[in-house]
Amino acid sequence: MIRYRQPLKDDKAICGLVFRELLPVSYKIRDNIDIDYRFVQKDVKKRLYKGTTFVAVNRQKVPFAFIHLIPKKEELFIDMLAVDKKLQSKGWGARLLSLGERYAAARNMRSVTLFVDILNSKAQRFYASKGYRLQSFHPQIQCYRLTKSL
């Protein structure tokens, strides 16, 4: 089931997904960096209040995947999308991405934009298969900016 984020119930699991699924890819780029979970948790919670988050939950109502969306005028920015490693390649990322695109279309937005880490080739292939195209490379964050017109 996919539903809106419930902060008191979901934020700990969302922070765990960021820590396990997103940060290891981002920090492969930067050598010898220790990741402080407390900082990650504080930063993620702050970011979650700047937009809308949908979570996919299991039967125990624990999130195993999420997408965080930030509307920006005529463009939707996908800030984060993560799926637990054990449930990847089962369609959950595609469902969440599609939900984000429908969210944007319902608000008359013209495009969806996101950043993907330079070393995350799996995510790059995933987004390309969903119609996202390379717009630019940002060396300061070592990410590609991908966009899809709606």
Side-chain angles (χ1 to χ4, degrees), residues 66-67 78 80-83 87-101 114-116 120-133 146 148:
F66 77 97
I67 188 169
I78 297 178
M80 296 180 280
L81 179 127
V83 178
L87 293 165
Q88 289 178 5
S89 300
K90 298 195 182 309
W92 289 104
R95 284 183 215 136
L96 287 166
L97 187 61
S98 177
L99 178 61
E101 292 169 359
L114 57 92
F115 287 99
V116 64
N120 196 344
S121 56
K122 184 176 179 182
Q124 292 168 29
R125 287 189 305 273
F126 168 75
Y127 291 120
S129 76
K130 303 302 178 203
Y132 286 78
R133 300 292 170 243
L146 306 178
K148 180 178 181 178

Side-chain angles (χ1 to χ4, degrees), residues 5 11 15 40-49:
R5 163 183 163 256
D11 285 2
C15 289
V40 170
Q41 191 172 24
K42 189 175 182 180
D43 182 56
V44 169
K45 285 182 179 182
K46 189 175 170 183
R47 286 166 71 176
L48 291 175
Y49 281 100

